């Protein structure tokens, strides 16, 4: 449904997005994850036709951004990072205005507005002017305007900004509900938000795509983390269950060396026996918890190393 190829955006000498490519299928829930300034919002603005790419192409449902932008925008609901609202309007008036912009027929607008207000838990604020609402309620109004025309693609930039814990849970529930009928793209710098609602993650760093993976695939390969008193990765080569060994140096003391072994958890006794037989001292041996946080830290470490080498 969505195909992004070699997408690049420059501002003078600043490269905000650098040669990013990915595909998103119909019905997927995908998280764009990265630090502030990683390029997430820039990509979303280009996908929705609000910002022109310096180079590259964006195709959505067989249509091309730049050639058929209006048709693409009709398929989308978009919550920008700072959603523009008319503060003097009431919530209902604003949503009626947005419904008209989206081309929702007049006779269908009342039902569409009622549904959007109900789904975003805005019933008690529906007749209030937007200017008196808290930031959390304004965020809900932004989500309501993005979904009231039943778009096939929903793009949410930092949807939980300004929400309290209860509202965050409600937002997660709404995203799961929307995913039953629409393709969802969620931009965030919060790991927990991706883990809570997404089935796939695209990790961005400094405008580049550094990882594209399903969340369940991140834990596909089992690992053991072992710490011994010598820098000898070859010690583990005799263990049949160990298929790969990688040095991990971020937690080493002067006489302690850590290694990540690609091996199932039940290989731990064999590893312990091999260490003991070699005469080395075993400080720790445990399964490595490989989740999104671990992978995110790894991508940062890899890129940091590249920056040092290139610097």
């Amino acid at each position: 449904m969505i195909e992004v190829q070699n997408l690049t955006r420059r501002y003078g000498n600043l490269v905000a997005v650098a040669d990013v490519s990915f595909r998103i299928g119909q019905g997927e829930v995908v998280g764009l994850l990265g630090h502030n300034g990683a390029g997430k919002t820039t990509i979303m603005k280009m996908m929705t036709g609000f910002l022109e790419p310096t180079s590259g192409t964006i195709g959505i449902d067989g249509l091309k951004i730049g050639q058929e932008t209006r048709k693409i925008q009709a398929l989308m609901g978009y919550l920008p990072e700072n959603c523009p609202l008319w503060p003097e309007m009431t919530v209902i008036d604003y949503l009626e205005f947005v419904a008209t912009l989206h081309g929702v027929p007049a006779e269908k607008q009342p039902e569409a507005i009622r549904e959007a207000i109900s789904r975003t838990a805005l019933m008690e604020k529906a007749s209030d002017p937007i200017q008196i609402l808290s930031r959390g309620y304004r965020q809900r109004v932004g989500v309501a305007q993005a979904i009231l025309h039943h778009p096939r693609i929903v793009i949410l930039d930092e949807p939980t900004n300004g929400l309290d814990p209860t509202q965050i849970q409600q937002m997660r529930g709404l995203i799961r509900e929307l995913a039953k009928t629409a393709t969802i793209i969620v931009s965030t710098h919060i790991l927990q938000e991706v883990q809570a609602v997404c089935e796939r993650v695209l990790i961005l760093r400094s405008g580049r795509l550094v990882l594209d993976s399903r969340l369940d695939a991140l834990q596909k390969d089992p690992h053991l983390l072992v710490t011994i008193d010598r820098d000898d990765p070859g010690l583990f080569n005799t263990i049949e269950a160990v298929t790969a060994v990688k040095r991990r140096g971020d937690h080493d003391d002067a006489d302690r060396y850590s290694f990540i072994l690609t091996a199932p958890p039940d290989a731990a006794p064999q590893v312990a026996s091999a260490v003991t037989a070699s005469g080395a001292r075993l400080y720790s041996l445990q399964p490595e918890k490989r989740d999104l946080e671990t992978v995110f830290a790894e991508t940062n470490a890899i890129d940091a190393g590249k920056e040092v080498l290139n610097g």
Side-chain angles (χ1 to χ4, degrees), residues 182 193 266 274 286:
E193 294 308 309
D266 58 10
Q286 61 189 31

Side-chain angles (χ1 to χ4, degrees), residues 120-142:
T120 53
L122 280 167
M123 291 79 69
E124 63 184 46
K125 304 293 184 180
S127 59
D128 289 351
I130 293 174
Q131 62 188 355
I132 72 170
L133 299 182
S134 67
R135 180 175 180 180
Y137 275 111
R138 291 189 185 200
Q139 189 76 341
R140 292 202 229 179
V141 174

Side-chain angles (χ1 to χ4, degrees), residues 29-288:
V29 183
V30 178
L32 282 182
L33 178 64
H35 296 298
N36 292 329
K40 306 183 301 297
T41 294
T42 301
I43 288 176
M44 288 189 158
K45 286 182 177 179
M46 289 189 284
M47 291 178 65
T48 52
F50 288 97
L51 186 64
E52 185 177 349
T54 302
S55 62
T57 61
I58 302 171
I60 296 178
D61 212 19
L63 306 172
K64 294 290 185 182
I65 284 284
Q67 301 171 9
E68 299 156 303
T69 300
R70 293 294 186 187
K71 292 181 180 179
I72 289 175
Q73 289 174 335
L75 302 174
M76 289 183 171
Y78 177 39
L79 172 68
E81 185 176 10
N82 297 300
C83 185
L85 302 171
W86 293 96
E88 69 275 9
M89 284 185 170
T90 66
V91 173
I92 289 178
D93 289 342
Y94 173 72
L95 293 180
E96 183 178 350
F97 169 67
V98 173
T100 301
L101 293 179
H102 279 301
V104 179
E107 66 274 13
K108 295 184 178 181
Q109 287 186 12
E111 178 58 29
I113 293 169
R114 277 196 297 270
E115 181 181 353
I117 286 175
S118 176
R119 295 173 86 179
T120 53
L122 280 167
M123 291 79 69
E124 63 184 46
K125 304 293 184 180
S127 59
D128 289 351
I130 293 174
Q131 62 188 355
I132 72 170
L133 299 182
S134 67
R135 180 175 180 180
Y137 275 111
R138 291 189 185 200
Q139 189 76 341
R140 292 202 229 179
V141 174
V143 175
Q145 65 81 29
I147 67 174
L148 65 83
H149 58 299
H150 296 104
R152 293 175 55 192
I153 302 169
V154 179
I155 297 180
L156 305 173
D157 197 351
E158 303 286 357
T160 57
N161 253 358
L163 303 186
D164 63 35
T166 299
Q167 293 170 340
I168 288 173
Q169 291 297 325
Q170 292 172 341
M171 182 65 69
R172 291 174 178 175
L174 175 58
I175 291 173
R176 295 187 190 101
E177 179 190 343
L178 292 171
K180 296 176 183 178
T181 56
T183 301
I184 312 293
I185 302 174
V186 179
S187 167
T188 183
H189 61 281
I190 302 173
L191 292 168
Q192 292 88 338
E193 294 308 309
V194 174
Q195 291 175 321
V197 299
C198 298
E199 57 194 28
R200 179 179 160 201
V201 62
L202 306 176
I203 297 181
L204 295 161
R205 190 174 191 276
S206 301
R208 293 180 293 111
L209 182 64
V210 295
L211 180 74
D212 178 355
S213 175
R214 290 186 56 87
L215 293 184
D216 53 11
L218 296 179
Q219 299 179 349
K220 183 178 180 181
D221 295 326
H223 293 81
L224 290 172
L225 178 61
V226 57
T227 302
I228 59 178
D229 65 347
R230 63 185 63 174
D231 188 8
D232 184 13
L235 186 156
F236 308 104
N237 291 339
T238 59
I239 305 172
E240 185 177 352
V242 177
T243 57
V245 180
K246 183 171 66 173
R247 169 74 185 276
R248 180 180 176 181
D250 55 337
H251 293 97
D252 291 349
D253 294 328
D255 61 343
R256 299 190 182 193
Y257 302 88
S258 296
F259 302 90
I260 299 173
L261 313 183
T262 302
D266 58 10
Q270 301 172 48
V271 173
S273 296
V275 172
T276 302
S278 72
R281 178 174 294 181
L282 179 64
Y283 287 107
S284 68
L285 174 61
Q286 61 189 31
E288 186 196 28

